Each structure stands twice: as structure tokens, then as C-alpha cells.
Amino acid sequence: MRLYFRIWLALLALTCMWQLRAAPVSNKCAICGNEIGEVTYIVVDKITEEKKHICLECSKLPHNCFICGLPVKADFTELPDGRVLCARDAKNAVLDDDEARKICDNVKEALDRLFARFITFPGTNVETSVVDRVNLQALFKVPGNDYECPNILGYTRSRTNLNRIEHQISLMTGLPRAELKAVSAHELSHAWVFENVSGARKKTLSRDAHEAFCELVAYKLMSSEEDEEQKAHIRRNHYTRGQIDLFIEADERYGFNDIVDWMKYGVDSALHGDDLNRVRNIEIPVVKKKASTVASYATKAVPSRPGTASGPTVSAPSLVLKGITWNESRPLAVINNRTFAPKEMGGIRLGQTNAVIRCLSIDKTSVRIQFVASGEERELKLPPE
Ligand SMILES: [Zn+2]
Ligand SMILES: [Zn+2]
Ligand SMILES: [Zn+2]
């Protein structure tokens, strides 16, 4: 859960204030600019992490900025749902719904570029809307969703309707631009998990790890934009109970492919700080011709069998179609030791080199793939029973 304590502004203001009776370091109040009397209050700016000195009068102001948590006195912007933004933060907030939607579209494109070698995010079946706080909170009360992201700045509702998967993403109005991008990436990652991680795996996956995966995608997007402030903001959130730090470390050490494989086939429910190498502990179900019968499990540590890459069952040297899980709306193919959904790309080790292939289509007994570098297409068939 991505907890943003600024939601509880009044509460925050109280908990972040210490009454000082000693002589203040600065005599000017950070809010009204007047001389501070004998009593100084210290409040923490949630954006800059700075401690600000304010006067008694300003400590009693009824409104706090939704973004930084500081009390507001003049020049503030009031949103229709009652939230207020200080003059500084109103400048960075996205207040126009059309602009917010445009930013989300750009995030989707940026994610597709950034993760093209690893995963494809859902697109045409995603509907994004921008809603105020009142409406966003109302969405949390809708029962019967397959998965609810408890991020209170965004909400993803994924449903399977007559074999078609639909995602409705709602993002809160008035967020700072960078945060809107991060929340948008986070919610799109939930949509990816919904479509690409099996129901059985989702049950064993801890919620902290699930949320940390979505945070990692947002973090990598912010890395690509060199937004150090937003990266620090993501790291400061403790709601994944340390999982986000382990995901970032595992990604740096082993690469995003291993994170994706772990999400899909990991044996553990969460990453382990004392043995991060366990992220490589996965079991890939190998499904033979008859869909839904799991024939065996291939563990990543076991090298692929060289003998299988021969005979009429293989159309391209060293590429082996090991199984197909047939489901009309979401078929999956296991090629060598990697699972592909239609349109998905991934790297496969072929001897001494790494080939990046794209799965073009999946049939009940065969798949069409394309070598991304050369554009060459191949058909791979399941071995006869
Ligand atoms: Zn003041
Ligand atoms: Zn502010
Ligand atoms: Zn979430």
C-alpha cells in the first residue's frame, strides 16, 4: 500500500509540530513572514524534508497544503473536493484533467519503450480517468473486484468480463506532475500483474511484494527521467515494509528479467534480505499439448536439454516450444524456459548469444515468433505426444 500521510493533514500537522521554548534560530515565520514571538513551532515540509519555523498564530491555521503538509494562509488554491495547495505546490500540481490524461498516455508510451525487452503493459483495454478525492475514496468501497490497489492516490479495478479483461484506472486530481507519473506507472503495473501472473501465484505472492513490484516500475521510470526527488520519495515510503528496497537491489544485481520471472514463477512469497539470490528460485510449469495438464516443472537452475532441439518438432535451431497453456483470451507459450504471451518480447539464451524474440501469435499447437534483430519470422510446433 502506498501510504501518503498527507491525506490526514490536520493529524499530520499536530504530530509534526514540536513546541520550542528556547530562543528560535530564525525569527521570521515561514508562513506569514512576521516576527515569531516567544513560542516557535517546527513543522516538516513533506516535499523538501526541511524543518520550518512558524509562529503560534500560523500553527492554528485551519488548512494545510495537501502536498507539503504546511499550514496555508494566503495565495492558496482550493480544489472542489476541499483540499488546498500552497502557492509553491499549486505551480507543480496537475489541475487540468485533460493534461493529466495526456501525462498518463505519455507514461504508457514511456513504459513501453523502457520495458520493451521485458514486458508489455496492457493498453487498449485500459481506461484511465482523473477523479477528485471524494470520488476516489468512494471507489474503495466497491465490492467484488478481482484486485484492488490500496494506493490512495490511485486505484485500479481489473475485471474479467466474458473472457475479456478490462482495467479501470483512477488517478487523483491535483497531484504534482512527477507523482502523477509515478502513480500512473504503479497502477499500470497492477494491470500487467493481473494479466500475466497466474491466479495460483498471485495467491502465494505477498501483498508487500506485489506493491513493491509496482513501485519498482515507477522507480525505474523516475530513474529514466533522472528525477532523484521522486526516486527518494518512493524509497521513503515504508508501506511495502522493506520490499521496495530489496526489489531495487535485486533489479540492480540480477536484472529486471529475473524480477519478472520471480513475479510469475517465484517459489517464495516475498524477497529475502538475507539471501537475495533466492529471487532466482523459480519453478516454471511446463505444459504439454493437452492444455491445463501440468506435466512437469522446469527449474531455472537446470540447464535446458540440448537433445530436444532436433527433429521435426523444432523449426528454429535451439528454440524449443515446450508447452502451450491454451486460453482463448490469454494463451501462453513456453519457449525454452521462458513464457510468452502474444506480442510479448523476451531474451532467450542460444548458445553463447542472447536472442531477443517477439511472440507474434499463439495457436493451440504452435506459435509464430520473430527474431527482433533480423525481423525473421519462424513457426514453432509442439512436439508430438
Ligand atoms: Zn506565522
Ligand atoms: Zn505545499
Ligand atoms: Zn498498488
Side-chain angles (χ1 to χ4, degrees):
M1 177 162 72
R2 193 169 183 175
L3 281 181
Y4 291 83
F5 297 106
R6 74 171 74 119
I7 290 288
W8 296 281
L9 296 173
L11 199 65
L12 251 183
L14 286 173
T15 55
C16 292
M17 283 183 191
W18 294 277
Q19 194 175 341
L20 283 188
R21 298 205 176 267
V25 178
S26 162
N27 284 334
K28 297 261 191 226
C29 169
I31 304 299
C32 65
N34 294 334
E35 288 290 326
I36 298 177
E38 287 204 348
V39 180
T40 300
Y41 285 83
I42 297 177
V43 289
V44 177
D45 183 327
K46 297 281 159 208
I47 294 298
T48 63
E49 298 273 293
E50 278 175 284
K51 287 177 182 159
K52 300 263 170 107
H53 292 194
I54 66 169
C55 70
L56 172 67
E57 198 181 295
C58 288
S59 77
K60 291 179 180 167
L61 287 168
H63 298 299
N64 298 65
C65 172
F66 164 70
I67 292 174
C68 67
L70 298 181
V72 288
K73 184 164 184 156
D75 295 334
F76 59 85
T77 303
E78 186 160 6
L79 302 182
D81 59 12
R83 286 175 291 156
V84 296
L85 303 172
C86 69
R88 179 198 68 187
D89 293 334
K91 276 188 209 141
N92 295 323
V94 183
L95 300 174
D96 181 76
D97 289 1
D98 288 340
E99 191 195 350
R101 269 189 293 272
K102 218 173 277 170
I103 289 171
C104 297
D105 290 346
N106 292 343
V107 164
K108 162 81 173 95
E109 285 168 21
L111 289 182
D112 281 343
R113 275 196 306 274
L114 195 60
F115 292 90
R117 283 173 51 231
F118 310 108
I119 56 177
T120 308
F121 290 85
T124 51
N125 58 343
V126 178
E127 199 188 299
T128 303
S129 51
V130 193
V131 297
D132 67 15
R133 181 168 59 177
V134 177
N135 283 307
L136 192 64
Q137 285 173 343
L139 285 172
F140 285 89
K141 295 176 186 122
V142 178
N145 291 334
D146 287 326
Y147 183 82
E148 293 170 28
C149 168
N151 180 341
I152 54 177
L153 299 184
Y155 182 91
T156 299
R157 184 185 193 195
S158 297
R159 282 184 307 179
T160 313
N161 199 358
L162 297 172
N163 272 341
R164 191 184 138 78
I165 296 171
E166 289 166 355
H167 309 280
Q168 279 179 295
I169 293 179
S170 306
L171 302 164
M172 198 191 272
T173 52
L175 297 181
R177 180 175 296 268
E179 193 157 24
L180 177 65
K181 289 184 189 176
V183 177
S184 179
H186 177 108
E187 301 302 331
L188 271 169
S189 307
H190 276 305
W192 179 86
V193 170
F194 184 86
E195 292 195 8
N196 293 278
V197 177
S198 70
R201 173 62 178 142
K202 272 184 220 142
K203 275 192 195 131
T204 65
L205 192 64
S206 84
R207 185 161 268 234
D208 290 341
H210 188 161
E211 293 296 332
F213 172 78
C214 302
E215 284 293 87
L216 176 66
V217 172
Y219 184 86
K220 285 172 78 72
L221 177 69
M222 292 301 121
S223 265
S224 75
E225 304 202 345
E226 295 174 1
D227 190 331
E228 297 304 320
E229 194 178 272
Q230 195 58 220
K231 280 166 74 182
H233 185 62
I234 290 171
R235 272 190 183 270
R236 273 202 301 273
N237 275 313
H238 294 301
Y239 66 92
T240 64
R241 283 175 279 206
Q243 283 293 302
I244 179 58
D245 291 323
L246 297 179
F247 269 75
I248 291 170
E249 202 183 326
D251 178 47
E252 283 164 1
R253 214 188 281 182
Y254 305 108
F256 195 70
N257 256 340
D258 280 10
I259 303 273
V260 170
D261 284 347
W262 183 85
M263 285 296 288
K264 287 178 171 177
Y265 313 113
V267 174
D268 296 329
S269 64
L271 298 188
H272 289 260
D274 53 356
D275 187 5
L276 207 52
N277 195 41
R278 286 172 68 153
V279 71
R280 297 189 140 172
N281 202 1
I282 60 172
E283 280 183 346
I284 301 176
V286 176
V287 185
K288 287 277 169 76
K289 198 170 182 174
K290 290 246 165 57
S292 78
T293 49
V294 178
S296 61
Y297 283 87
T299 308
K300 200 175 183 183
V302 179
S304 59
R305 290 163 292 149
T308 54
S310 62
T313 59
V314 181
S315 303
S318 301
L319 277 187
V320 185
L321 176 59
K322 289 187 169 177
I324 288 173
T325 308
W326 183 250
N327 173 330
E328 215 153 321
S329 68
R330 190 75 186 169
L332 294 171
V334 182
I335 301 169
N336 291 23
N337 274 350
R338 208 179 166 85
T339 304
F340 290 84
K343 311 275 182 284
E344 200 170 2
M345 277 202 289
I348 284 186
R349 189 129 195 96
L350 293 178
Q352 296 305 307
T353 56
N354 242 335
V356 179
I357 65 166
R358 186 199 301 274
C359 174
L360 298 173
S361 61
I362 300 176
D363 220 324
K364 280 182 181 162
T365 57
S366 66
V367 299
R368 263 203 97 66
I369 62 102
Q370 183 184 42
F371 290 91
V372 172
S374 64
E376 182 196 341
E377 293 185 18
R378 293 279 175 91
E379 189 179 26
L380 304 177
K381 288 195 166 132
L382 277 177
E385 284 186 274

